[in-house]
Amino acid sequence: MGRTDRLLAAMTLAEKIGQLNMAAGSGAVTGPGARRELEEGIRNGQIGNVLNVWGGAEVHALQRLAVEHSRLGIPLLVGLDVIHGHHTIFPVPLAEACLFDPHSWESTARTAAQEAAADGVSLTFAPMLDVARDPRWGRMVESPGEDPWVATEFAAAKTRGSQRTSLGAGSSVAAVAKHLCGYGAVTAGREYASVDVSERTLYEVHLPPFAAAVAAGAAAIMPAFIDIAGVPMTANVALLQGWLRGRCTFDGVVISDYNAIAELRNHGAAADIVAAAALALKAGIDIDMASEAYAQGLPEALRRGLVSSAQLDESVLRVLRLKERLGLLDDPYRHEVVGSAPTTARELAREVARKAIVLLTHRDRVLPLSAQVSHIALIGPLASASDAMLGPWAAAGRPEDAVSILAGLKGALPRCRIDSVAGVVASSQDLSGLPGAIERCRAAEVVILCLGEDASMSGEGGSRADLGLPGGQRALAEAALDIGKPVIVLLSSGRPLTVPWLFERAHAVLATWFLGGEAGNAIADVLTGKFNPSGKLPVTWPRHVGQVPIFYAQRPSGRPSKAGERLSSSYLDVPATPQFPFGHGLSYGTFTLHDLSCTPASIRAGEGFAVSVSVHNESAIAGEATVFLFVHDVVATISRPVMELKGVRRTALGPGERSRVTWQLPASALTFLDAHLNPVLEPGRFEIHVGQSADPGAFLSCSIEVLP
Ligand code: BGC
């Protein structure tokens, strides 16, 4: 008998249920739900895990109660949403996705894990892997964007970063991949609304990132709050037992979302807490986060025979095994852990933040700012807001440690006069500050507008029906643009904002998302030309909210969109094309693609093919180009998206330099799911498109034949 089996054998029913109970500690409480006497519960073995606590002393005190004062001395799992950094805050995930760089994604997760582990955290509720194609949904900010291939790479990189080579390493934290699945497809982008997607879309789009997290060894999975076609994920036997535990052979821990088990009653899936607890346990949910449904409902569910004690024991064992793998059973305080050197972490934060900035539009060479610039008006609600730079889910990040845009620019341009004023509050219609702001714009040489959302406008509960600039910001921007000076716009947001008028009129617009603690320095690096922007959009940017959900991997229509043709797949009032395609992002230089080759011209199953292209830096400035490879299966038994991403390469090029990038792909990269959702490689022609974004007008294309 192993250690975990021995512990199980020694437990009372209440202690077993305690191991499945995760209670909210002090600090942020992210949802409604029951609170209980934390310390008493830990001491008597009825709370085996906590969330939302961190800090050596606080965690140590709670851990001591479990280890020294509970009957069996089993340590707690300590969970926290370490989404984009712990003390050192990195860009929000949507921004980090703009790097298209698994190495960076892994590095930030590693640093975050190290800092969180040093603060007593053993479990991070990350990575968030919801494919997001509807910017009305506020949680797009937490996601790696619209593409399943990107989300799959992100899943693996983040899991590796958090868990390192071993969970027991002391400086690793267990990854909880969330939210399985389809949460990004909530009806009309409205938070917590029902999801109704086809089984095909689930399997092609929403599940692959979770399969990748499991393959990378993710210790835990969190099901989403939502229901899919009437079956809440918290009780979804087909996906949690059938797909996750069956098909993916996942043997880790499944943790409910906050209060989600009790909410099965609101879904109309359970009549009472007993039924809710039974449904969740049968679906394979091991840990009840904060709803107390297991504590209140499982004893009665067992008595009524709704669940078996074997099912209960399986869940308890999975939790104990995770504690064992984390090393908690040997060293509950994970003594050896030390935080990363703060300077290294901040350097990484600055590096990633500047790479996450996307130059959306640029004309008249207003950027980089001239070294001689002597007077800037830095205007807008986000100009000196250091707290907003952190974005949602800032864990232990402190606003006072974040570098505002004003502070970053002042540091970079010590001899330049920078007049800064908000003009308007992010979401208020009060325009009384507008005249003063415009006065400052008139007096300056260059105007920099810091516009967008504040951090509370996206994230959980951050759905918006209007994707324009909130409050009086449009009035402020238009008044500033009317002056006729060069205007550069920094757009901070957790999603694309539909501001076509601004893209039309401003000299340059940069997507600056929520870049984290080093935001101001990173922005200054880009504005001054110290860093040549290289970020690329991980989501298609709509022109109008009426176009959403919008994404590049559309299926072909029988009547493809043709501008001006009524009976084609289009709108009467807005072009069908996006404002900016997936992958868009300008540089201060110019890169061009040449000499695409695809070899051999035909392949069979089991073989492979190579695609390569030359990338030229046509400019006198060094920079980094990003090249995307898409495929299109021209004729198939299930009609295939017009393009599907299969590879991304970044290449750094000096002035005038050229390089050749190559992908070696197996024939299996061309498979898709047949009518029974089994992978199939069908003979026929496949188009290969290579470009610097998903703009079909700029592709280099070739094709290969798959032979029977
Ligand atoms: C969110 C999760 C999060 C949990 C714990 C919930 O409201 O949906 O993503 O991990 O709270 O904070």
Side-chain angles (χ1 to χ4, degrees):
M1 216 193 234
R3 179 160 49 167
T4 50
D5 294 300
R6 277 200 306 278
L7 278 172
L8 181 74
M11 281 178 179
T12 63
L13 175 62
E15 284 164 340
K16 286 181 183 176
I17 294 174
Q19 287 303 307
L20 307 188
N21 193 8
M22 176 175 271
S26 57
V29 174
T30 52
R35 296 293 302 265
R36 55 187 300 158
E37 283 304 321
L38 190 64
E39 295 194 0
E40 187 48 34
I42 294 173
R43 219 179 274 121
N44 66 25
Q46 289 175 5
I47 293 176
N49 313 287
V50 293
L51 83 149
N52 289 342
V53 281
W54 69 88
E58 188 167 1
V59 172
H60 194 93
L62 294 179
Q63 205 62 281
R64 253 193 61 194
L65 287 178
V67 174
E68 293 173 27
H69 298 276
S70 77
R71 194 177 73 90
L72 294 171
I74 304 170
L76 307 160
L77 288 175
V78 178
L80 186 67
D81 293 278
V82 183
I83 307 293
H84 54 111
H86 182 61
H87 289 293
T88 309
I89 302 301
F90 298 106
V92 289
L94 187 66
E96 219 194 341
C98 297
L99 275 73
F100 287 91
D101 179 12
H103 177 74
S104 297
W105 297 335
E106 185 174 339
S107 303
T108 54
R110 195 180 314 116
T111 301
Q114 196 169 354
E115 291 183 358
D119 249 357
V121 173
S122 46
L123 203 68
T124 169
F125 304 122
M128 193 277 214
L129 302 174
D130 296 303
V131 170
R133 297 174 162 187
D134 186 339
R136 289 173 299 185
W137 188 50
R139 301 196 82 168
M140 176 181 266
V141 68
E142 297 171 52
S143 92
E146 76 176 49
D147 186 70
W149 185 88
V150 174
T152 296
E153 297 281 305
F154 191 83
K158 288 292 180 195
T159 304
R160 283 195 305 269
S162 288
Q163 300 192 171
R164 302 174 163 235
T165 44
S166 143
L167 271 187
S171 52
S172 53
V173 297
V176 185
K178 71 186 188 185
H179 309 85
L180 184 78
C181 67
Y183 191 8
V186 281
T187 303
R190 187 164 38 87
E191 185 63 291
Y192 312 132
S194 182
V195 169
D196 201 347
V197 293
S198 69
E199 212 182 355
R200 170 165 301 279
T201 300
L202 275 186
Y203 278 81
E204 287 186 353
V205 175
H206 297 287
L207 287 172
F210 290 94
V214 171
I221 298 281
M222 182 191 294
F225 279 128
I226 44 89
D227 74 280
I228 299 184
V231 185
M233 278 309 304
T234 304
N236 200 313
V237 175
L239 287 170
L240 296 180
Q241 295 285 17
W243 183 80
L244 179 65
R245 296 225 189 265
R247 224 151 119 177
C248 298
T249 63
F250 176 70
D251 63 357
V253 169
V254 176
I255 306 181
S256 83
D257 205 342
Y258 201 106
N259 202 43
I261 301 181
E263 288 170 16
L264 285 172
R265 295 170 301 179
N266 302 348
H267 277 282
D272 56 25
I273 204 78
V274 176
L279 282 175
L281 191 76
K282 279 195 294 193
I285 295 190
D286 303 310
I287 293 183
D288 170 4
M289 186 196 286
S291 89
E292 297 222 322
Y294 279 179
Q296 292 169 19
L298 278 185
E300 179 61 18
L302 283 161
R303 262 193 299 278
R304 286 194 214 156
L306 298 177
V307 288
S308 66
S309 46
Q311 280 167 324
L312 175 71
D313 287 357
E314 266 177 43
S315 284
V316 176
L317 269 179
R318 281 195 285 261
V319 174
L320 292 177
R321 280 194 211 115
L322 178 54
K323 292 182 177 183
E324 185 173 49
R325 286 178 66 204
L326 278 160
L328 286 166
L329 298 189
D330 298 311
D331 176 9
Y333 307 107
R334 300 177 100 202
H335 273 118
E336 69 277 39
V337 181
V338 283
S340 69
T343 46
T344 330
R346 286 202 74 109
E347 273 161 25
L348 179 64
R350 181 168 181 163
E351 179 67 8
V352 174
R354 59 194 197 171
K355 287 183 168 170
I357 295 170
V358 183
L359 180 59
L360 295 170
T361 64
H362 185 203
R363 62 183 162 87
D364 301 342
R365 295 175 177 268
V366 287
L367 288 172
L369 293 169
S370 140
Q372 274 73 51
V373 66
S374 60
H375 189 177
I376 293 174
L378 187 74
I379 307 297
L382 292 144
S384 53
S386 53
D387 51 345
M389 298 297 109
L390 297 180
W393 296 112
R398 301 187 317 165
E400 58 270 33
D401 293 339
V403 181
S404 69
I405 301 173
L406 175 61
L409 268 182
K410 276 190 165 161
L413 299 169
R415 279 185 297 279
C416 177
R417 172 171 167 195
I418 303 178
D419 284 343
S420 184
V421 67
V424 297
V425 175
S427 53
S428 146
Q429 295 291 348
D430 176 5
L431 297 181
S432 55
L434 208 139
I438 297 308
E439 239 1 85
R440 285 181 166 80
C441 295
R442 279 213 178 83
E445 222 176 304
V446 179
V447 176
I448 302 179
L449 296 178
C450 306
L451 307 174
E453 301 179 318
D454 69 35
S456 69
M457 286 179 205
S458 60
E460 188 174 354
S463 290
R464 292 183 62 202
D466 178 355
L467 297 178
L469 278 175
Q473 294 187 64
R474 179 167 185 169
L476 173 70
E478 291 198 307
L481 287 159
D482 286 344
I483 297 171
K485 301 249 158 132
V487 174
I488 296 155
V489 180
L490 305 173
L491 214 47
S492 297
S493 61
R495 50 160 70 89
L497 297 179
T498 51
V499 283
W501 55 273
L502 187 63
F503 297 126
E504 184 74 19
R505 296 192 62 195
H507 291 76
V509 182
L510 299 99
T512 51
W513 317 109
F514 298 113
L515 292 172
E518 284 289 317
N521 288 332
I523 289 169
D525 287 346
V526 166
L527 294 182
T528 57
K530 185 169 171 194
F531 184 78
N532 187 359
S534 61
K536 305 286 170 183
L537 293 176
V539 284
T540 304
W541 193 297
R543 297 170 189 273
H544 190 282
V545 67
Q547 293 180 306
V548 307
I550 188 168
F551 49 96
Y552 78 82
Q554 302 277 324
R555 285 185 201 283
S557 161
R559 295 183 175 186
S561 173
K562 280 206 190 91
E565 198 163 303
R566 185 182 180 111
L567 299 184
S568 79
S569 178
S570 48
Y571 300 101
L572 288 178
D573 49 356
V574 179
T577 53
Q579 182 83 56
F580 305 112
F582 171 89
H584 172 76
L586 304 173
S587 150
Y588 294 151
T590 309
F591 302 105
T592 52
L593 303 181
H594 307 265
D595 307 324
L596 176 68
S597 85
C598 309
T599 51
S602 58
I603 55 166
R604 289 198 158 78
E607 297 176 353
F609 60 104
V611 177
S612 74
V613 72
S614 290
V615 192
H616 295 188
N617 182 353
E618 308 276 352
S619 50
I621 172 172
E624 205 164 347
T626 303
V627 191
F628 299 88
L629 185 159
F630 300 93
V631 303
H632 174 49
D633 186 346
V634 183
V635 177
T637 48
I638 304 286
S639 106
R640 302 302 304 153
V642 290
M643 31 179 158
E644 291 178 85
L645 188 65
K646 295 293 173 183
V648 181
R649 286 270 189 282
R650 298 167 56 101
T651 174
L653 294 169
E657 203 185 330
R658 302 163 174 225
S659 80
R660 198 148 176 91
V661 301
T662 302
W663 291 268
Q664 300 285 349
L665 292 172
S668 59
L670 304 176
T671 56
F672 66 93
L673 301 179
D674 68 10
H676 308 288
L677 300 176
N678 295 316
V680 63
L681 177 67
E682 289 185 354
R685 193 165 70 85
F686 289 76
E687 292 171 347
I688 312 286
H689 302 297
V690 169
Q692 297 187 66
S693 76
D695 173 10
F699 281 157
L700 293 183
S701 303
C702 57
S703 66
I704 66 160
E705 190 80 15
V706 171
L707 302 172

